[in-house]
């Protein structure tokens, strides 16, 4: 705290200036001052940024030192923050906002309620370096990963994002209808970007979302104009070369960012798939687990942010799948604003990665919205998957339905779930359901689950429930009574438990990839593959 | 094995007076034919003084049930709620909630309680559950195929690939008046009461069981569904005349469709009376109280 004060005092002069500077951001004046100082220090001219005219008063100084209270943040920022001059204007202003917030932020520890059961300290031991990007990634490995992914033919567009940067060569955007934009910030509709980029993550994002904003080199923008129904999905494949480019105890950081804006009455389907570029992915999982535990925290960190703006009556089907390598840490923020009568439907499947955390925040901006969340998390050897979801209802007649399913198949695996549905005073006639089902397949497997409803409105229908169990005896017996052996019956039930969510992915090739990854994770439990 | 009696059993309806006499004779002679080949057929299921309790609470439910089913015979068990009818059917297929405390049950000459539930199924013993569980995430067709192949494998027959299985299951589906869309739905998930029962009988048809225990297949069925389900059971029976059937029911209307050779009344964990359809008529008239006064 003392250092923060000193810092603020040190820039008192700047603060005065900052108060006069026109700014569209809702940053507190004190923060703005820091923001400005940061820009000075980094020597970013950023003069191209219309939203950041304050950057002009800057004397060039070497980007030697980034001050932050939290030492890890400081070290990390020094290593990974790109020169703001090289960034598109909206991103530069996002960066400066994030840097100023990070100056006083701390990375979470298990003493924070939000991270009580999710210990991110292994991630924070690593020295991070920016990841290589598409140019440096081995082309052969990229092509192999793409071939393995077998992108769906029916997809309206496929976008390949390598280490947070769009690989235009490998993406295919040809088939999009007139008016739809999918691509990097550079060509994106400026009005859309300027009102929406970073708006939600600034207000509701956590430390990892800030880190993304500070380290992002580009953002993928999806814009669907009013009343357009996009047939076929937009499939975004995020590949991390981190596992491959890893060197001398340094872990690579990738900061991919997505902004999707659906105008009135538009509807679309967006698939976000995270995978690693690890060689020979088929065997990497089991081998990777062993090496990861020996080498300590080295690996890579993906900190991803996705912001969705759904205008009135817009409908978005969102799939989010992580199949990352066994030495990956993954922190994802998904932020959704829902206009009147809009519908947001999420299908989330997390199988890969050593430590993954998803912060999902949905806010209702109008009445009669529909929000559906289905999640399936499979925690194998040494894996921790955490879902923190917050749904805030402020308008009448919202419908919400959340299903969380988690399997822990190893004594060293852990699942964490905190699902919050907040029904505020004006959200009358809300219909919200929440169910968390957890399967602990072995002794000492752990889940920490907290489905919770906060209800202030008095005329609502809300239910929530939670089960933690081994496989259902009754279901096992039913299968056995039909002549199916105990082993096969257990396998069928374990797979089916997840399939209830996985089959909502609707893309068969993607489902097959997920099921292959599930089989690998469950191999230690089920013995031979099915 | 195709004695006159079993031929008669093929006709689902209209048990004549002469047949009833035959039945009566067979019933009287049942004991002494236990160990030799009877005119009717081999003994399929022989339950002797079976006692069982609920594993969790220790509550004794079955207090000495004795019953013999021969190939081709149709038996019905009736009785008040809580008399142990469903427990008997579940104990026979090895439900883990119950513990056998005494007596014996032999199926095709093998001690049932030495076998795992799946082995009992492989030998052709089938229970149609009163309220089958839903299994989200397992598609019906996968489930049926895996179950069918498990039985075929145990019998040393060739397993069916998905395409072959489709051809195998379609006529059975038609016989049950079931929409083929059933196959792609998850096992029992969101099924209506009638659909669940049809699905049970579809499994019976796929598994080609030798001994079917039907636990209240009439509960929750509307009139049309009851007719379809009964017709399907009778159809299976006519294809496979040796099949033994043990039905648990509360109502005469099912027995009007699937005519039993024997009707047993259970009370407090025992079979207290055995008779034929005449007994059912008597029950319909005056309820179970008639038994306690006559017993």
């Amino acid at each position: 705290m003392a250092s923060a004060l000193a810092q603020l005092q040190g820039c008192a002069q700047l603060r005065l200036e900052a108060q006069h500077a026109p700014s569209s951001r809702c940053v507190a004046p004190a923060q703005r001052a820091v923001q400005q100082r940061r820009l000075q220090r980094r020597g970013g001219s950023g003069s191209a940024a219309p939203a950041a005219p304050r950057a002009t008063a800057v004397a060039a100084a070497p980007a030697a030192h980034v001050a932050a209270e939290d030492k890890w943040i400081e070290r990390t920022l020094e290593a990974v923050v790109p020169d703001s001059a090289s960034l598109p204007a909206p991103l530069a202003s996002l960066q400066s906002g994030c840097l100023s917030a990070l100056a006083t932020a701390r990375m979470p520890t298990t003493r924070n309620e939000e991270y009580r059961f999710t210990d991110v300290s292994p991630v924070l031991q690593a020295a991070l370096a920016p990841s290589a990007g598409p140019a440096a990634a081995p082309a052969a490995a990229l092509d192999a990963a793409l071939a393995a992914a077998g992108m769906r033919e029916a997809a309206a567009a496929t976008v390949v994002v390598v280490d947070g940067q769009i690989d235009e060569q490998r993406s295919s955007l040809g088939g999009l209808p007139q008016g739809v934009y999918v691509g990097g910030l550079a060509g994106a509709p400026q009005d859309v970007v300027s009102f929406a980029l970073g708006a939600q993550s600034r207000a509701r994002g956590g430390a990892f979302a800030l880190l993304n904003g500070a380290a992002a080199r580009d953002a993928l923008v999806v814009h669907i104009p009013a009343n357009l129904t996009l047939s076929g999905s937009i499939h975004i494949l995020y590949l991390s070369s981190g596992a491959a480019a890893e060197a001398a105890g340094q872990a690579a950081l990738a900061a991919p960012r997505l902004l999707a804006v659906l105008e009135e009455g538009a509807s679309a389907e967006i698939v976000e798939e995270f995978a690693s570029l690890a060689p020979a992915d088929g065997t990497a999982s089991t081998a990777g687990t062993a090496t990861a535990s020996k080498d300590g925290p080295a690996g890579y960190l993906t900190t991803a942010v996705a912001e969705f703006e759904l205008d009135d009556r817009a409908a978005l089907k969102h799939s989010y799948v992580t199949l990352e390598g066994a030495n990956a840490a993954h922190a994802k923020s998904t932020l959704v604003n829902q206009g009147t009568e809009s519908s947001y439907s999420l299908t989330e499947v997390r199988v890969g990665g050593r430590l993954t955390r998803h912060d999902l925040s949905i806010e209702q901006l109008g009445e009669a919205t529909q929000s559906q969340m289905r999640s399936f998390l499979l925690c194998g050897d040494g894996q921790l998957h955490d879902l923190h979801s917050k749904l805030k209802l402020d308008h009448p007649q919202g419908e919400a339905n959340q299903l969380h399913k988690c399997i822990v198949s190893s004594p060293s695996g852990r699942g964490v779930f905190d699902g919050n549905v907040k029904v505020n005073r004006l959200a009358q006639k809300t219909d919200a359901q929440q169910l968390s089902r957890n399967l602990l397949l072995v002794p000492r497997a752990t889940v920490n689950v907290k489905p919770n409803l906060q209800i202030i409105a008095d005329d609502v229908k809300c239910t929530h429930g939670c089960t933690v169990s081994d496989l259902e005896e009754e279901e096992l017996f039913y299968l056995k009574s039909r002549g199916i052996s105990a082993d096969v019956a257990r396998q069928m039930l374990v797979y089916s438990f997840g399939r209830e969510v996985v089959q909502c992915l609707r893309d068969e090739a993607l489902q097959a990839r997920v099921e292959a990854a599930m089989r690998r994770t469950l191999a230690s439990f089920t013995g031979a593959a099915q | 094995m195709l004695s006159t009696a079993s031929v008669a059993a093929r006709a689902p309806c209209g048990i004549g007076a002469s047949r009833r006499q035959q039945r009566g004779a067979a019933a009287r002679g049942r004991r002494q034919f236990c160990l030799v080949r009877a005119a009717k057929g081999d003994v399929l299921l022989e339950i002797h003084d079976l006692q069982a309790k609920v594993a969790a609470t220790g509550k004794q439910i079955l207090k000495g049930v004795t019953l013999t089913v021969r190939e081709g015979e149709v038996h019905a068990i009736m009785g008040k709620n809580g008399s142990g009818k469903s427990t008997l059917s579940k104990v026979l297929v090895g439900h883990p909630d119950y513990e056998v405390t005494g007596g014996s049950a032999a199926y095709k000459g093998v001690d049932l309680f030495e076998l795992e539930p799946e082995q009992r199924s492989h030998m052709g013993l089938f229970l149609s559950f009163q309220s089958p569980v839903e299994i989200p995430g397992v598609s019906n067709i996968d489930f049926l195929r895996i179950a069918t192949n498990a039985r075929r494998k145990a019998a040393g027959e060739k397993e069916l690939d998905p395409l072959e299985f489709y051809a195998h299951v379609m006529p059975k589906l038609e016989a049950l008046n079931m929409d083929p869309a059933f196959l792609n739905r998850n096992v029992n998930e969101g099924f209506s009461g009638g659909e669940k029962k049809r699905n049970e009988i579809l499994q019976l048809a796929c598994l080609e069981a030798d001994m079917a225990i039907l636990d209240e297949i009439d509960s929750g069925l509307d009139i049309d569904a009851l007719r379809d389900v009964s017709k399907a059971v009778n159809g299976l029976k006519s294809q496979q005349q040796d099949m033994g059937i043990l039905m648990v029911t509360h109502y005469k209307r099912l027995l009007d469709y699937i005519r039993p050779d024997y009707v047993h009344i259970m009370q407090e964990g025992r079979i207290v009376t055995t008779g034929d359809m005449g007994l059912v008529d008597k029950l319909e008239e005056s309820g179970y109280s008639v038994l306690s006064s006559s017993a």
Side-chain angles (χ1 to χ4, degrees), chain A residues 474 478 480 482-483 496 503, chain B residues 118 121-122 127 150 200 203:
Chain A
E474 199 68 30
Y478 188 70
K480 286 204 284 190
R482 297 298 180 249
S496 75
Q503 68 192 4
Chain B
E118 58 267 33
S121 170
H122 295 162
L127 169 64
E200 292 292 291
Q203 292 168 40

Side-chain angles (χ1 to χ4, degrees), chain A residues 60-412:
Chain A
H65 184 68
V66 181
E69 276 184 43
D70 186 309
K71 289 303 150 204
W72 182 83
I73 293 179
E74 189 170 287
R75 269 186 287 128
T76 302
L77 290 182
E78 273 171 27
V80 304
V81 171
D83 184 356
S84 61
S86 67
L87 298 177
L91 200 57
S93 95
L94 173 71
Q95 187 199 64
S96 67
C98 289
L99 284 174
S100 65
L102 281 170
T104 54
R106 288 190 174 277
M107 291 313 282
T109 70
T110 50
R111 288 191 300 276
N112 295 72
E113 178 62 26
E114 292 273 278
Y115 282 82
R116 196 169 143 203
F117 301 108
T118 304
D119 183 5
V120 295
S121 62
V123 176
L124 306 184
Q125 280 161 23
L128 290 177
S131 48
L142 271 179
D143 291 332
L146 282 182
M151 294 300 209
R152 186 162 61 150
E153 298 277 309
T158 56
V159 185
V160 179
V161 178
V162 181
D163 293 339
Q165 294 177 65
I166 301 164
D167 183 341
E168 275 164 17
Q169 283 186 335
R170 292 182 176 83
S171 301
S172 83
L173 304 168
L176 289 169
Q178 187 78 26
V180 174
Y181 179 79
V182 177
L185 270 177
Q190 284 306 310
D191 52 335
V192 170
V193 171
S194 63
F195 99 86
L197 184 71
Q200 293 188 62
S201 75
R202 245 197 312 275
R204 316 201 299 267
F208 283 106
L210 289 172
L211 188 58
N212 171 287
R217 282 149 197 273
D218 196 1
L220 176 64
V221 179
V222 173
H223 179 238
I224 316 283
N227 299 318
L228 191 142
T229 299
L230 190 63
S231 61
S233 61
I234 297 171
H235 193 128
I236 308 166
L237 179 63
Y238 298 95
L239 293 169
S240 285
S241 69
E246 178 188 321
Q250 286 204 317
L253 173 81
R257 194 172 181 101
L258 169 68
L259 168 67
V261 178
L262 276 67
E263 304 282 358
E264 258 184 54
S267 83
E269 186 177 344
I270 294 179
V271 180
E272 289 190 283
E273 180 182 358
F274 289 84
S276 62
L277 262 186
D281 196 38
T283 55
S285 273
T286 44
T289 318
T291 52
S293 51
K294 263 182 240 145
D295 299 351
Y300 65 96
L301 169 65
T302 303
T303 165
V305 171
E307 292 171 297
F308 297 99
E309 296 281 350
L310 309 187
D311 206 337
D312 297 352
R313 299 187 317 283
L316 175 67
K317 285 199 169 69
H318 178 206
S319 303
Y320 161 49
V321 176
T322 65
L323 300 168
E324 292 194 90
N327 55 351
H330 177 100
K332 169 90 170 5
S333 304
T334 303
L335 303 128
V336 187
N337 274 344
Q338 280 195 262
T340 303
E341 289 175 35
S342 65
S343 128
Y344 172 73
S345 167
L346 169 73
T347 304
E348 168 188 23
V349 177
R350 273 187 278 162
V351 183
R354 191 150 45 93
L355 191 161
T356 74
R357 158 84 174 210
H358 184 200
D359 283 285
L360 170 64
S361 163
I362 304 175
E363 286 202 1
Q364 199 194 24
L365 304 182
E367 60 187 46
T369 56
Q370 293 187 340
S371 317
Q372 187 162 42
M373 295 163 268
R374 303 182 205 87
S375 309
F376 169 59
L377 315 169
L378 172 58
C379 314
D381 276 338
Q383 286 183 303
L384 186 154
H385 294 311
D386 179 355
L387 170 63
H388 268 63
S389 69
K390 283 199 173 90
L391 170 65
K392 197 169 127 211
L393 298 161
D394 280 312
H395 297 269
Q397 288 173 329
E399 274 179 38
N401 195 340
Q402 180 169 34
L403 173 66
H404 163 261
K405 296 189 113 180
C406 178
I407 299 181
V408 185
S409 65
S410 156
S412 58

Side-chain angles (χ1 to χ4, degrees), chain B residues 1-277:
Chain B
M1 256 192 280
L2 287 180
S3 68
T4 49
S6 73
V7 172
R10 232 182 297 174
C13 308
I15 294 181
S18 61
R19 176 140 177 254
R20 217 173 285 161
Q21 281 158 7
Q22 270 184 325
R23 282 286 141 271
R28 278 191 298 278
R30 196 147 34 113
R31 279 279 148 253
Q32 68 209 66
F33 284 127
C34 264
L35 299 172
V36 293
R37 294 210 154 209
K40 174 76 187 174
D42 287 346
V43 171
L44 204 50
L45 177 67
E46 187 173 33
I47 306 166
H48 183 70
D49 193 29
L50 181 61
Q51 295 155 43
K53 63 179 184 183
V54 179
T57 63
K59 189 179 178 217
Q60 195 75 27
I61 308 282
L62 300 183
K63 297 169 181 166
V65 176
T66 299
L67 177 70
T68 302
V69 180
R70 281 158 214 276
E71 285 181 342
E73 287 180 349
V74 179
H75 292 241
I77 298 184
M78 302 181 79
K80 285 189 201 174
N81 291 326
S83 57
K85 308 180 298 293
S86 286
T87 301
L88 173 64
S89 52
K90 285 181 181 172
V91 164
L92 291 176
V93 292
H95 197 288
D97 282 359
Y98 302 97
E99 199 176 297
V100 175
T101 53
S104 65
Y107 173 67
K108 293 183 180 175
V110 181
D111 180 0
L112 260 188
F113 304 129
E114 291 292 309
L115 301 175
E116 289 297 318
E118 58 267 33
Q119 292 170 312
R120 299 180 203 193
S121 170
H122 295 162
M123 288 180 67
L125 182 64
F126 181 92
L127 169 64
S128 164
F129 286 85
Q130 188 180 341
S131 37
V133 293
E134 302 188 0
I135 309 183
V138 176
S139 80
N140 222 0
I141 190 157
D142 285 346
F143 166 62
L144 288 168
R145 186 170 56 85
I146 292 171
T148 305
N149 280 339
R151 165 97 157 112
R152 292 178 74 95
K153 194 177 168 189
E157 293 171 47
K158 183 183 163 294
E159 295 184 41
L160 301 174
D161 66 30
L163 217 60
E164 288 168 331
F165 182 71
Y166 199 73
H168 177 77
V169 77
M170 280 317 282
K172 302 181 195 301
L173 210 57
E174 271 163 35
L176 272 160
N177 246 336
M178 282 167 83
D179 184 344
F182 253 104
L183 295 175
N184 294 321
R185 290 169 64 182
N186 290 332
V187 177
N188 294 329
E189 191 186 28
F191 283 23
S192 70
E195 288 172 333
K196 282 185 179 173
K197 295 295 158 83
R198 284 175 207 244
N199 204 25
E200 292 292 291
I201 302 305
L202 178 63
Q203 292 168 40
L204 170 63
C206 285
L207 293 178
E208 293 167 349
D210 300 326
M211 170 79 218
I213 305 170
L214 311 177
D215 190 359
E216 295 197 21
I217 51 165
D218 50 348
S219 69
L221 291 192
D222 61 34
I223 299 161
D224 289 346
L226 179 63
R227 198 180 46 232
D228 285 346
V229 165
S230 314
K231 218 171 83 188
V233 172
N234 286 328
L236 289 175
K237 181 88 173 87
S238 67
Q239 279 171 24
Q240 203 186 333
Q241 289 158 17
D242 292 346
M243 180 164 74
I245 294 179
L246 181 62
M247 287 184 286
V248 172
T249 183
H250 280 292
Y251 303 107
K252 179 170 180 281
R253 53 173 196 181
L254 175 69
L255 306 184
D256 288 335
Y257 283 113
I258 308 173
R259 303 296 285 194
D261 301 317
Y262 301 95
V263 176
H264 311 274
I265 309 297
M266 259 184 102
Q267 224 169 16
E268 288 170 18
R270 285 189 190 86
I271 289 176
V272 290
T273 316
T274 297
D276 53 22
M277 281 298 281

